[in-house]
Amino acid sequence: QQARVLVQGTQVGSLTAENGRYTLRVPTSGAVVLEVSRIGYEAKKVTVTISGTAPVTQDVALTQAAFSLSAVVTTVTGQQRKVELANATTQIAVAEKVAELPVSNMGQLLSGRAAGVQVVSAGATGAGSRIRIRGQASLSLSNEPVVIIDGVRMTSTSGSTANGVGGSAPSRLDDLNPEEIENIEVIKGPSAATLYGTEAANGVINITTKRGKAGKTRWNVYTENGAITDPNTYPLMYYGWGTQLSGATAGTRVRCPAISIAASICRADSLRVGNAFLIDSLSPVDQGARQQYGMQVSGGTDRVQFFVAGETEVETGIYKMPDIEINRLTAERATGLPSSQIRPNALDRNSLRANLTALITPKATLQISSGFISSRQRLPQNEDNGNGLMVGMLGGEWREDLRDGRGVPLLGYRAFPMGDILSRTNTQSTNRFINSAQLRYEPTSWLQTRAILGMDYASRVDNEINLFDQGPLGVDRAGQVENDRGEINQQTVDLGATGTKQLTSWLNSKTSVGMQYIRNYFSSTGGTGQGLPPGATTITAAAVRNARQSTDERRTLGYYVEQQFSFNDKLFITAAMRRDAASAFGKDFRAVNYPKLGASWVISDQGFFPATNWINTLRLRATYGASGQIPGATDALRFFSPFGTTISGTADQPGVSLGALGNSTLRPEYSAETEAGFDLTMFDGKSNFEFTYYDKNTTDALIERRVAPSIAGVTSRFENIGNVRNKGFELVYNQKVVSTDKIGLDFVLTGSTNENELITLGEGVSAIPSGNRNTQLNAPGFPLYGLWGRTYTYNDANGDGILVAGEMTYGANTFIGPSFPTRELAFTPTLELFGRKLRISGQVDSKWGMKKLNNTKRHQCQAGFSCQGLYAGAPLEEQAKAVAAAASVFTGFYEDGSFTRFRELSVSYQMPNNWAKALKAERWNLVLTGRNLGVWTPFTGVDPETTVGNDDRRGNEEFFSTPPMRYFTFRMNFNF
């Protein structure tokens, strides 16, 4: 197990427990006070007298506790005890859990484990996660948190593709391998993230990877295999046949919707009901598979410790070309089909990591962290895509007689045979290096300095290809290829120093100063080729070629100072200021200041606090702080765009036009937050509460304001005129029910609320529509991305059981509800039996308070002619939705999006020691896990967590999206 040891407030290093003992070499002599702490345990101070090099043995028994105020956390100023922080920070001890959790990426790892952190994970293999902390604050910029790994800012954007590979976009955060992570600290909101500066207003996720520990070399080998299944039920499609009653086509067989029956145009004969998912020979759903193999080795001496890890991961998604289509295409092409077309959704990923910690001198420590990730993934065309898989399955008419232009039967598919849809191949290949070097130097007992240098570099290739005479009919059938190559380079320089001074016996002072430089560089070069010869795969072979290139660069330089006073090690007052300048600011705006003021008070240790046997500690905390959100790289700039003009209809002449007006006073969005709460430990550490209230106010929000039409070619520019507010509560309750040598039972309950309001868009700016078909409206006094629409009532006046347009009454455009959850709750119990060798854990989480657009059903009613409400015999409520959709009123498809999901189940068993020894192992355990095991929801669509891409504007919309899949995995862990 890992512990941190402090000598006079300075961390010495990480140690390894050997038979319950820790070994420490201290570069000093005499009486030394050691404070030993471990996440999940109460810290303890002991005095040890050291003389020369003779070893000294001191037993230290740590008392287990769900939350330890003395636990050490990592902040921008270095190591701090949790008790000193005036804000709520969630710690996730990943290394102790990840081997027994059903998680394969960072989004799944964070889901449900921190109050106020909302995670939405896409269903397709390799598709990315979207993370929001304490709501959404920006209409124009990203709402994603900053992610730091081993002190270095990393790229974590979702929707990370150049050409929209497959509709579902990967996330650069999910590139990380959870197996390599030691712990994660979630820093919520600007009050906690002030010193992280511009870009940190949405919170910070601070990741520390595993480090070596002094002692004998230790090996960890693991293997995981599993199955992926689709537990979802897809909506039925309807199609009504009838007989034409009049006109030149009287007596013919026609589509006969209810409104045509009411108008005596046709007589209903039959109603077809079904979908291709229900027919095995047509369904593109099969069982997917997952394999993972890894090895880690760590160890070292007192002066040098190392950690090395390697892993390979292969996951094949549930999508598979139906056999009937494989046979058809094999016959057409007279050759076998490539696996990329048969299994269009897959992920292959390899990761390597080498971390080194070296004690250069007794006062200087160097930590080097190096990680490499190589991945290749395939994603099918999907989501809001007329040529996509799900549109092909659910977007058309449920008919058995349709054929494409070649006469090929569609068999229930919308417009193209499924084999043609899956013949269009989409891939993304990524090679990524994340490297950092940290030098910590302590010239005196009261001064600590650090220097961190690092870089996150990723090379990405997105490729979409439709070979000659393949793919959907009429859609680049002559051959088309698009290739985009992106270079993402984020660099960090972090310099800082902390001085600590005991001013009096009761007053301690700690001063920190620092500087940070962040460079974010993105370059993309891409091209398209139309008209590929048979067998050709490159742009250069195409008949028509086009190219494009773009570069974005942002640089931020920040300075900060923080002063903390500690009174009797019980009351901590902290004040700080950060000042940032950035290249993305307008040229007339120099820099922005972010202040912070907070207090943390362990009130239970004060003399006036009533003595009780059941309260162990009570801490009160409150803080005010600010941070920002940086504009886009070119939002402040005036620039010109090229265009071609035709002279006398004979030749193209190059020219330029004004591309953007620019804004010389453009500033970052400014978020100020007040946070207050308490931490309570009771009953000898068995019961622990954390309660927090936050109020986050974002001013200077960037709004795209329309400009006078007299400015040629420019219709709008960004201005700092908006205001958004988020406020709510967070609760963490940890209860240890039973704790003996044989049995353990505990649970963690996390919950949060969020109330979001757009205060103003700025003077003269009208409400801004967003979402598909403008179903969202961003209006002052209401939540961002809220669902709006015209309400309606209906009355079957003639009693014929059919609703027509004249029997509908529409109201004004009205706010229907937020699209983002306003309440969330997660329950995580753990049961240990049989000497704690059998461990059973799980997670159930709920989200509610939001509306969800069932856009798939809207399409079926409005354009697909396949929803139930279009045909006679449907309930009047369903008919009303269809009739309203014909009038472009979609409120009938706004549904309650709340749900409760059985998210995780894990059963782990430690095999008998003699069994492990027979394999030359010290420990061997088996783990059986399941993920997405059940969901309860009033939502009538496929799944309440389906989402279109990773954008807030459509983040709570189901529109032909891949829903969450069910995972079952079996894993073995060996420790040597």
Side-chain angles (χ1 to χ4, degrees):
Q1 301 296 333
Q2 185 179 15
R4 293 183 175 93
V5 177
L6 305 181
V7 178
Q8 297 175 345
T10 301
Q11 182 183 348
V12 174
S14 298
L15 309 179
T16 302
E18 296 286 350
N19 299 322
R21 295 184 182 274
Y22 297 85
T23 302
L24 169 69
R25 291 187 183 276
V26 182
T28 186
S29 61
V32 177
V33 178
L34 301 180
E35 179 180 318
V36 184
S37 63
R38 174 184 170 192
I39 295 176
Y41 288 76
E42 292 292 343
K44 180 172 291 188
K45 291 183 179 180
V46 296
T47 301
V48 179
T49 301
I50 300 174
S51 177
T53 60
V56 178
T57 300
Q58 174 70 49
D59 290 332
V60 182
L62 298 182
T63 303
Q64 193 170 17
F67 295 102
S68 173
L69 295 180
S70 297
V72 177
V73 298
T74 303
T75 70
V76 72
T77 59
Q79 300 283 346
Q80 282 187 280
R81 290 179 299 159
K82 188 175 181 180
V83 72
E84 301 176 45
L85 302 179
N87 45 263
T89 300
T90 299
Q91 293 178 306
I92 305 173
V94 179
E96 299 178 4
K97 300 177 180 179
V98 70
E100 298 179 359
L101 291 177
V103 298
S104 59
N105 57 52
M106 289 296 297
Q108 294 174 357
L109 180 62
L110 290 169
S111 180
R113 291 183 172 83
V117 179
Q118 300 272 8
V119 180
V120 178
S121 296
T125 288
S129 305
R130 186 172 79 254
I131 299 173
R132 299 292 179 263
I133 300 176
R134 292 183 176 175
Q136 304 152 312
S138 181
L139 179 63
S140 304
L141 301 177
S142 170
N143 285 298
E144 296 174 347
V146 163
V147 180
I148 295 173
I149 180 168
D150 293 333
V152 170
R153 186 82 62 87
M154 64 165 277
T155 301
S156 59
T157 52
S158 58
S160 187
T161 60
N163 58 14
V165 171
S168 298
S171 164
R172 297 279 70 92
L173 177 62
D174 285 337
D175 286 345
L176 298 184
N177 180 5
E179 303 284 349
E180 299 172 354
I181 296 174
E182 181 68 33
N183 66 279
I184 298 174
E185 289 158 354
V186 181
I187 301 165
K188 307 171 188 176
S191 65
T194 294
L195 297 188
Y196 292 87
T198 305
E199 294 186 78
N202 299 316
V204 176
I205 297 175
N206 194 2
I207 299 171
T208 303
T209 60
K210 293 179 179 178
R211 298 285 166 180
K213 305 171 182 66
K216 74 173 187 177
T217 301
R218 293 185 172 275
W219 296 80
N220 176 33
V221 179
Y222 55 91
T223 174
E224 179 178 298
N225 288 269
I228 309 170
T229 62
D230 185 358
N232 300 282
T233 300
Y234 294 91
L236 293 173
M237 301 162 65
Y238 296 77
Y239 194 83
W241 287 104
T243 301
Q244 187 81 12
L245 295 179
S246 61
T249 58
T252 60
R253 191 174 186 233
V254 295
R255 184 176 75 90
C256 190
I259 57 172
S260 296
I261 296 173
S264 299
I265 296 173
C266 64
R267 179 187 66 248
D269 296 332
S270 63
L271 183 67
R272 296 279 296 167
V273 182
N275 67 46
F277 284 108
L278 299 175
I279 302 174
D280 290 341
S281 62
L282 301 180
S283 175
V285 171
D286 193 28
Q287 180 171 291
R290 174 176 172 77
Q291 299 88 39
Q292 183 179 353
Y293 308 95
M295 178 183 295
Q296 299 178 353
V297 57
S298 63
T301 66
D302 295 334
R303 295 187 64 88
V304 179
Q305 300 91 44
F306 66 90
F307 171 82
V308 179
E311 181 186 281
T312 183
E313 174 187 5
V314 180
E315 184 170 306
T316 303
I318 54 102
Y319 290 131
K320 175 183 177 296
M321 187 183 294
D323 289 342
I324 191 173
E325 289 292 280
I326 295 175
N327 295 335
R328 177 182 67 84
L329 292 179
T330 301
E332 286 182 5
R333 302 177 190 175
T335 184
L337 273 61
S339 60
S340 60
Q341 295 183 8
I342 296 176
R343 303 299 304 225
N345 186 202
L347 170 66
D348 297 341
R349 181 160 52 205
N350 299 293
S351 61
L352 298 171
R353 173 162 294 280
N355 291 347
L356 181 71
T357 303
L359 186 65
I360 301 174
T361 72
K363 296 182 179 181
T365 302
L366 177 65
Q367 290 186 339
I368 297 177
S369 174
S370 180
F372 171 70
I373 303 140
S374 176
S375 68
R376 178 178 172 84
Q377 61 190 86
R378 299 193 300 272
L379 287 164
Q381 293 283 341
N382 217 345
E383 297 182 7
D384 189 359
N385 186 333
N387 306 323
L389 184 152
M390 292 292 284
V391 172
M393 294 296 293
L394 298 172
E397 304 169 353
W398 185 237
R399 294 175 58 176
E400 70 280 5
D401 61 324
L402 295 178
R403 294 174 178 267
D404 70 3
R406 299 164 297 174
V408 176
L410 292 179
L411 305 174
Y413 303 132
R414 176 178 181 259
F416 312 110
M418 186 54 55
D420 290 353
I421 291 174
L422 299 184
S423 293
R424 192 180 186 94
T425 303
N426 305 276
T427 62
Q428 182 178 95
S429 300
T430 304
N431 289 313
R432 186 174 185 182
F433 293 87
I434 305 178
N435 301 313
S436 68
Q438 302 185 39
L439 178 63
R440 300 186 181 274
Y441 177 58
E442 301 172 13
T444 68
S445 61
W446 57 269
L447 179 62
Q448 306 171 45
T449 65
R450 76 171 189 282
I452 303 175
L453 302 176
M455 178 179 66
D456 176 10
Y457 175 83
S459 173
R460 190 189 72 204
V461 179
D462 298 334
N463 196 69
E464 179 182 329
I465 187 167
N466 206 101
L467 295 176
F468 175 78
D469 203 28
Q470 295 184 19
L473 188 65
V475 183
D476 301 317
R477 188 80 178 183
Q480 182 268 344
V481 61
E482 180 176 358
N483 186 279
D484 291 274
R485 297 170 181 265
E487 176 186 345
I488 309 171
N489 192 343
Q490 188 151 250
Q491 301 166 351
T492 301
V493 178
D494 186 347
L495 306 176
T498 299
T500 304
K501 183 68 173 178
Q502 192 72 37
L503 301 178
T504 69
S505 60
W506 52 271
L507 179 62
N508 180 274
S509 171
K510 182 163 66 174
T511 305
S512 298
V513 296
M515 180 276 288
Q516 289 180 335
Y517 169 79
I518 306 294
R519 176 179 182 257
N520 193 314
Y521 175 86
F522 175 76
S523 176
S524 175
T525 302
T528 60
Q530 304 284 339
L532 293 175
T537 60
T538 64
I539 294 173
T540 54
V544 179
R545 299 180 293 272
N546 290 284
R548 58 186 175 274
Q549 183 177 10
S550 66
T551 300
D552 287 335
E553 183 176 8
R554 290 189 311 210
R555 303 186 184 206
T556 304
L557 179 64
Y559 303 89
Y560 65 82
V561 58
E562 181 180 70
Q563 175 64 51
Q564 182 184 93
F565 290 105
S566 170
F567 300 86
N568 290 322
D569 208 35
K570 303 301 178 186
L571 174 63
F572 303 87
I573 306 294
T574 303
M577 177 67 73
R578 179 176 176 121
R579 181 175 176 83
D580 274 3
S583 62
F585 299 168
K587 65 182 180 65
D588 294 334
F589 182 78
R590 298 183 61 86
V592 60
N593 296 320
Y594 300 120
K596 177 179 180 178
L597 179 64
S600 171
W601 188 17
V602 184
I603 192 174
S604 56
D605 288 347
Q606 303 302 310
F608 60 80
F609 191 83
T612 65
N613 295 325
W614 54 279
I615 293 181
N616 302 116
T617 59
L618 173 61
R619 177 173 73 124
L620 307 180
R621 47 183 166 78
T623 185
Y624 167 86
S627 186
Q629 183 70 324
I630 195 168
T634 60
D635 289 348
L637 301 180
R638 176 185 296 234
F639 59 85
F640 295 86
S641 299
F643 68 90
T645 59
T646 301
I647 305 299
S648 300
T650 59
D652 286 337
Q653 297 294 321
V656 294
S657 64
L658 187 62
L661 184 61
N663 185 346
S664 63
T665 63
L666 197 69
R667 306 181 297 278
E669 296 189 344
Y670 188 93
S671 294
E673 183 181 61
T674 301
E675 177 186 308
F678 66 86
D679 303 331
L680 175 64
T681 302
M682 302 184 297
F683 306 116
D684 297 325
K686 294 180 180 179
S687 300
N688 300 269
F689 293 88
E690 287 187 6
F691 178 82
T692 303
Y693 168 78
Y694 66 90
D695 190 338
K696 173 182 172 182
N697 192 30
T698 300
T699 56
D700 287 342
L702 265 65
I703 303 298
E704 194 170 8
R705 185 203 284 271
R706 296 191 65 82
V707 298
S710 58
I711 302 177
V714 177
T715 60
S716 63
R717 76 169 188 172
F718 283 110
E719 297 183 5
N720 297 97
I721 53 178
N723 183 196
V724 180
R725 186 181 185 187
N726 283 274
K727 61 181 180 180
F729 299 92
E730 296 170 350
L731 170 69
V732 179
Y733 171 37
N734 190 309
Q735 179 64 53
K736 191 174 296 297
V737 181
V738 178
S739 181
T740 69
D741 292 339
K742 301 294 184 182
I743 300 175
L745 175 61
D746 59 69
F747 65 82
V748 179
L749 182 69
T750 64
S752 67
T753 70
N754 178 263
E755 181 182 336
N756 177 275
E757 182 183 0
L758 173 61
I759 305 298
T760 180
L761 284 169
E763 184 178 356
V765 180
S766 301
I768 299 174
S770 60
N772 187 257
R773 285 165 175 74
N774 293 333
T775 49
Q776 298 173 354
L777 190 66
N778 299 281
F782 298 93
L784 284 178
Y785 311 114
L787 288 172
W788 289 66
R790 297 173 63 188
T791 58
Y792 62 79
T793 58
Y794 56 87
N795 178 30
D796 182 15
N798 59 9
D800 64 351
I802 297 176
L803 287 180
V804 295
E807 296 174 324
M808 302 286 295
T809 302
Y810 299 100
N813 197 35
T814 305
F815 173 68
I816 306 299
S819 62
F820 192 79
T822 60
R823 306 287 186 272
E824 61 92 18
L825 200 66
F827 177 67
T828 307
T830 301
L831 174 64
E832 296 176 309
L833 301 170
F834 308 119
R836 296 183 180 259
K837 291 186 175 182
L838 176 65
R839 179 185 175 93
I840 304 170
S841 63
Q843 186 183 101
V844 177
D845 60 66
S846 296
K847 297 178 184 178
W848 67 97
M850 69 290 195
K851 294 291 184 178
K852 189 175 185 70
L853 170 59
N854 189 343
N855 209 13
T856 300
K857 188 172 183 179
R858 189 276 314 160
H859 173 90
Q860 291 177 332
C861 286
Q862 191 180 23
F865 307 115
S866 59
C867 79
Q868 181 187 16
L870 289 171
Y871 299 103
L876 293 180
E877 179 183 2
E878 295 300 316
Q879 293 188 48
K881 295 177 184 179
V883 175
S888 297
V889 176
F890 308 126
T891 46
F893 307 103
Y894 299 169
E895 301 185 23
D896 184 350
S898 62
F899 66 90
T900 297
R901 188 177 294 277
F902 188 0
R903 182 76 62 185
E904 297 176 0
L905 178 65
S906 172
V907 180
S908 171
Y909 184 71
Q910 183 176 336
M911 302 299 286
N913 291 337
N914 57 338
W915 290 31
K917 290 180 180 179
L919 298 175
K920 309 299 183 181
E922 292 184 2
R923 189 173 183 267
W924 172 24
N925 78 323
L926 310 178
V927 186
L928 181 65
T929 66
R931 187 168 187 84
N932 295 329
L933 300 177
V935 63
W936 298 268
T937 177
F939 182 65
T940 64
V942 179
D943 190 280
E945 283 194 292
T946 50
T947 179
V948 178
N950 288 292
D951 194 293
D952 290 327
R953 291 166 178 79
R954 302 185 66 179
N956 204 36
E957 169 193 336
E958 180 188 291
F959 197 34
F960 301 112
S961 309
T962 300
M965 295 294 119
R966 181 171 294 164
Y967 284 70
F968 292 103
T969 61
F970 175 72
R971 175 170 173 144
M972 292 192 294
N973 300 299
F974 300 92
N975 298 103
F976 298 92

